[in-house]
């Protein structure tokens, strides 16, 4: 019995030992599984998702690069800019992915050169020679981003419509546009089908051929349109409608346009300039578990940042400007701000006597420049990077203002009054000043108001302030300055003038100004019609326009008689003056001498 019990105990110990061993093995398997699962969770995915994500990153980056290059490189070097930029993007991505043991690379296989065609300010749909019957483009191998906005078609009718003849590889389709019988809207008529009419389209009417919509809603009238098959678009009766457009054609400029139809500089509409239509990339991705390479075709739309491209040239990138003013405190500071509810940015200058708009990067450092005149009559450019460039000396600065813009076939220039308020000059960095207007026979020149199409002929005119604060319109073809009827600007500490602005999209810019009774008015230079905007309380100082509340419409910015910055909301409807406030909700005090620009 005693020996039997001893054998039983031995068997039990053996069985227990085997059980413990099995448990330890199971525990090891569980622990190893956990470690392996954790490893899988942290290692690169072998299913290729990260490689595809890299492909998308390359495509998105080059898409933005092409759009930006098409805006900034109007000198024919667009293709080189895209190639060089792709190389830089590839290097940046290689560093990012290389930190995780993955090798990536992106190169340009080919670039398709195209033509970017624009009418970026409302004007008649005529060519550069003023002809209303012409070919917008012809012989294209497809187009991208064709979009057109009609702001006014009151001169058209069912008998004499504004017409677009759109030719695809399968044939031509006419699109006619004219007012409805009540004059309250437009009719968009695809004449290939007598029942295919879109009635009562409100203006401004935006026709987006690329997605087949009118004012954002799909319409059957555009179902025929296929971007890749478009070859020609011709215009008939273009003088009967006003608006703007943008399209990128898939062929070089000399193949799709003629010199009589377009300008080759961007200061006049319509213009046609070189562009990149599309590019093909080769992208490679090599991780420990995944090797992937593919060709990527990138063909961005014609549109850049901002709603409908309204923040600059129609359909392309343009950096927004800011409202420029001088603080009315000690020491005085040159300042900029871009919206109500934001704090202005102050620059170090404290001797500012006259200012101009912040709209262009003159110095090529990708920062917009602000022109100003100091108390010694020196004209400078400055910007947020801290750089300062002197452009001219002997500039008239008491109770004056500066203008900026493209005009008469030149690049962007600063316009100013010189020769002790006798003549108007323009100047660019690295160039000597050029005499623009000799106004010695009309009492001299106190300042440059601005540039705009004030007579609706599709060409920009120069507006300036002459003797006794009368404003003048100057056209180089006539070689003389014409006084604006009812356009006299009041003067006290400053002078109540402004650049011409098209507020309602009819293709005609009107000139805001402050009269002798401290009223803010808009004058139509064609007939001297004066429209009151704000009655009383407006300082005799320069005024300007800017979309300060982000609603897509321009507001007029001015100083009131208490030196507070104000803006006019709903300029073309029921105008109302509102304070331009900082982040804390407080008033902003400006200088009546310089006003706003």
């Amino acid at each position: 019995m005693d020996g039997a019990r001893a054998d039983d105990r031995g068997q039990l110990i053996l069985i227990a030992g085997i059980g413990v061993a099995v448990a330890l093995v199971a525990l090891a398997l569980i622990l190893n599984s956990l470690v392996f699962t954790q490893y899988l969770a942290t290692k690169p995915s072998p299913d290729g998702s990260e490689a595809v994500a890299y492909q998308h990153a390359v495509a998105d980056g080059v898409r933005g690069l092409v759009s930006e290059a098409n805006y900034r490189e109007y000198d024919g070097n667009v293709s080189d800019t895209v190639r060089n930029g792709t190389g830089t993007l590839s290097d940046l991505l290689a560093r990012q992915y290389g930190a995780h043991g993955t090798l990536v690379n992106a190169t340009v296989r080919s670039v398709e050169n195209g033509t970017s065609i624009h009418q970026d300010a409302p004007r008649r749909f005529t060519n550069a020679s003023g002809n209303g019957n012409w070919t917008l483009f012809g012989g294209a191998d497809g187009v991208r981003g064709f979009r057109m906005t009609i702001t006014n078609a009151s001169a058209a009718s069912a008998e004499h419509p504004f017409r677009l003849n759109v030719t695809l590889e399968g044939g031509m389709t006419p699109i006619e546009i004219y007012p409805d019988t009540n004059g309250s809207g437009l009719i968009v008529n695809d004449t290939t089908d007598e029942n295919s009419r879109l009635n009562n389209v409100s203006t401004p009417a935006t026709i987006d051929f690329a997605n087949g919509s009118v004012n954002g809603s799909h319409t059957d009238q555009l179902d025929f349109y296929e971007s890749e098959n478009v070859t020609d678009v011709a215009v008939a009766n273009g003088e009967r409608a006003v608006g703007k457009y943008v399209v990128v054609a898939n062929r070089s400029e000399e193949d799709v346009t003629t010199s009589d139809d377009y300008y080759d500089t961007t200061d006049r509409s319509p213009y046609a300039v070189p562009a990149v239509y599309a590019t093909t990339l080769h992208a490679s991705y090599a991780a420990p578990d995944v090797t992937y390479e593919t060709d990527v075709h990138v063909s961005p739309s014609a549109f850049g940042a901002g709603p409908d491209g309204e923040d600059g040239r129609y359909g392309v990138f343009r950096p927004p400007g800011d409202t420029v003013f001088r603080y009315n405190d000690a020491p005085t500071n040159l300042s900029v701000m871009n919206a109500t509810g934001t704090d202005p940015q102050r620059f170090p200058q404290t001797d500012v006597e006259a200012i101009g708009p912040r709209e262009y990067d003159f110095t090529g450092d990708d920062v917009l420049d602000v022109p100003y005149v100091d108390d010694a009559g020196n004209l400078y450019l400055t910007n947020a990077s801290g750089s300062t460039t002197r452009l001219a000396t002997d500039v008239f600065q008491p109770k004056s203002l500066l203008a900026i813009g493209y005009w008469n076939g030149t690049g962007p220039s600063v316009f100013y009054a010189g020769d002790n308020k006798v003549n108007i000059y323009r100047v660019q960095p690295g160039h000597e000043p050029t005499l623009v207007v000799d106004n010695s026979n009309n009492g001299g020149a106190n300042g440059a108001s601005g540039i705009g199409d004030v007579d609706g002929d599709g060409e920009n005119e120069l507006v300036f302030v002459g003797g006794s604060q009368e404003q003048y319109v100057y056209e180089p073809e006539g070689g003389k300055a014409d006084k604006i009827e009812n356009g006299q600007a009041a003067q006290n500490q400053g002078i109540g003038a402004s650049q011409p602005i098209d507020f309602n999209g009819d293709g005609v810019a009107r000139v805001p100004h402050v009269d002798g009774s401290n009223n803010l008015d808009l004058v139509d230079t064609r007939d001297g019609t004066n429209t009151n905007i704000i009655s009383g309380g407006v300082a005799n100082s320069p005024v300007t326009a800017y979309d300060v509340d982000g609603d897509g419409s321009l507001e007029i910015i001015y100083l009131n008689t208490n030196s507070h910055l104000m803006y006019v909301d709903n300029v073309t409807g029921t105008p109302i003056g509102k304070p331009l406030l900082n982040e804390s909700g407080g008033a902003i005090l400006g200088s009546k001498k310089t006003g706003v620009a």
Side-chain angles (χ1 to χ4, degrees):
M1 291 292 293
D2 292 340
R5 287 196 296 271
D7 291 340
D8 291 341
R9 285 197 297 272
Q11 291 175 352
L12 290 172
I13 291 172
L14 177 61
I15 293 171
I18 293 173
V20 170
V22 171
L24 290 173
V25 171
L27 179 62
L29 288 173
I30 292 171
L31 291 173
N32 284 335
S33 297
L34 289 173
V35 170
F36 185 66
T37 301
Q38 182 66 21
Y39 168 72
L40 287 179
T42 56
K43 70 185 293 293
S45 171
D47 63 1
S49 60
E50 288 197 3
V52 173
Y54 167 71
Q55 174 186 330
H56 291 324
V58 171
D60 289 344
V62 175
R63 185 174 295 109
L65 172 64
V66 170
S67 293
E68 186 73 5
N70 282 344
Y71 168 64
R72 294 186 180 277
E73 299 294 338
Y74 280 126
D75 58 0
N77 296 324
V78 194
S79 177
D80 290 343
T81 299
V82 170
R83 291 180 183 276
N84 296 335
T86 300
T88 301
L89 174 66
S90 179
D91 291 343
L92 292 173
L93 290 173
R95 294 173 192 168
Q96 177 183 349
Y97 279 81
H100 302 283
T102 300
L103 301 177
V104 297
N105 187 50
T107 56
V108 175
R109 281 200 183 275
S110 63
V111 173
E112 296 176 54
N113 292 319
T115 305
S116 187
I117 300 170
H118 297 257
Q119 182 159 295
D120 56 31
R123 65 181 290 277
R124 295 180 181 89
F125 290 106
T126 58
N127 66 0
S129 301
N131 193 336
N133 300 301
W134 61 294
T135 300
L136 197 70
F137 60 86
D141 188 19
V143 301
R144 288 190 291 102
F146 185 21
R147 191 172 190 174
M148 175 174 283
T149 297
I150 295 93
T151 57
N152 190 324
S154 59
S157 65
E159 294 76 22
H160 301 286
F162 165 57
R163 179 186 292 124
L164 294 173
N165 295 321
V166 182
T167 301
L168 280 70
E169 292 176 354
M172 188 265 286
T173 300
I175 297 291
E176 294 183 345
I177 299 166
Y178 50 91
D180 60 20
T181 55
N182 297 324
S184 59
L186 297 178
I187 291 173
V188 179
N189 184 16
D190 173 358
T191 62
T192 59
D193 181 354
E194 62 181 13
N195 297 316
S196 182
R197 289 174 31 144
L198 187 63
N199 298 323
N200 299 316
V201 176
S202 61
T203 54
T206 295
I207 301 175
D208 192 334
F209 289 91
N211 64 22
S213 69
V214 176
N215 284 346
S217 299
H218 175 78
T219 176
D220 295 340
Q221 283 72 25
L222 301 179
D223 282 346
F224 73 93
Y225 187 86
E226 297 174 350
S227 294
E228 66 274 12
N229 293 326
V230 175
T231 61
D232 305 75
V233 172
V235 175
N237 299 325
E239 73 280 0
R240 295 182 177 272
V242 172
K244 55 187 181 178
Y245 54 83
V246 61
V247 64
V248 177
N250 188 14
R251 289 192 74 186
S252 59
E253 180 183 355
E254 60 271 16
D255 294 329
V256 296
T257 64
T258 65
S259 58
D260 292 337
D261 292 332
Y262 290 102
Y263 298 103
D264 57 5
T265 58
T266 61
D267 60 319
R268 296 182 178 185
S269 287
Y271 59 86
V273 290
V276 166
Y277 182 81
T279 183
T280 300
L281 313 168
H282 183 75
S284 62
Y285 178 97
D289 297 297
V290 176
T291 300
Y292 176 76
E293 57 181 318
T294 187
D295 284 347
V296 182
H297 188 70
V298 178
S299 54
S301 72
F303 306 105
D308 300 338
E310 294 293 346
D311 52 351
R313 293 194 181 100
Y314 187 57
V316 292
F317 279 101
R318 175 147 182 190
D322 291 296
T323 299
V324 181
F325 68 102
R326 190 186 83 171
Y327 260 100
N328 187 27
D329 58 10
T332 55
N333 285 87
L334 183 66
S335 305
V336 297
M337 68 180 300
N338 56 22
T340 186
T342 60
D343 281 335
Q345 176 185 10
R346 296 195 182 201
F347 291 8
Q349 285 77 13
T350 59
D351 55 355
V352 176
E353 296 293 319
I355 59 176
R358 182 179 189 249
E359 293 182 358
Y360 296 102
D361 171 24
F362 287 95
T363 54
D365 59 359
D366 290 327
V367 182
L368 298 181
D369 297 303
V370 178
Y372 74 95
V373 183
D374 67 11
D375 54 8
N378 298 304
L379 172 60
Y380 289 95
L381 292 173
T382 188
N383 60 38
S385 70
S387 67
T388 301
T389 303
R390 190 167 72 174
L391 300 181
T393 59
D394 298 323
V395 178
F396 177 67
Q397 36 83 16
K399 303 178 183 179
S400 188
L401 69 164
L402 308 172
I404 282 182
Y406 293 83
W407 182 70
N408 196 24
T410 68
S413 304
V414 181
F415 295 79
Y416 65 92
D419 301 327
N420 194 23
K421 63 175 185 178
V422 173
N423 301 315
I424 297 292
Y425 287 84
R426 67 170 179 84
V427 66
Q428 299 168 298
H431 296 78
E432 291 296 317
T434 300
L435 176 65
V436 174
V437 182
D438 180 348
N439 205 48
S440 56
N441 293 329
N442 287 327
N446 286 357
S449 301
I451 294 165
D453 184 5
V454 298
D455 56 13
D457 65 352
E459 305 290 340
N460 283 335
E461 289 80 39
L462 173 66
V463 178
F464 67 93
V465 183
S468 301
Q469 296 77 58
E470 296 284 1
Q471 294 196 83
Y472 290 83
V473 175
Y474 181 78
E475 296 187 80
E477 291 81 3
K480 67 184 184 69
D482 294 320
K483 186 169 67 174
I484 299 175
E485 184 181 354
N486 296 324
Q488 186 177 31
Q491 176 179 290
N492 190 0
Q493 289 176 275
I495 184 169
S498 167
Q499 67 192 86
I501 303 289
D502 180 5
F503 288 99
N504 60 4
D506 65 354
V508 178
R510 291 181 289 171
V511 180
H513 67 106
V514 183
D515 66 22
S517 299
N518 299 103
N519 300 315
L520 177 60
D521 300 323
L522 277 181
V523 62
D524 189 327
T525 67
R526 296 171 299 179
D527 57 12
T529 300
N530 213 38
T531 303
N532 177 247
I533 303 298
I534 295 291
S535 296
V538 181
N540 297 334
S541 302
V543 303
T544 190
Y546 189 79
D547 182 10
V548 297
D549 55 10
D551 65 354
S553 298
L554 290 172
E555 287 80 42
I556 299 177
I557 304 176
Y558 66 97
L559 291 178
N560 66 14
T561 50
N562 293 322
S563 299
H564 292 177
L565 264 68
M566 306 284 293
Y567 69 97
V568 183
D569 201 7
N570 199 20
V571 173
T572 59
T574 305
I576 181 173
K578 298 180 179 180
L580 192 59
L581 304 175
N582 59 23
E583 271 187 357
S584 303
I588 303 169
L589 292 176
S591 165
K592 291 181 182 178
K593 175 178 287 189
T594 60
V596 289

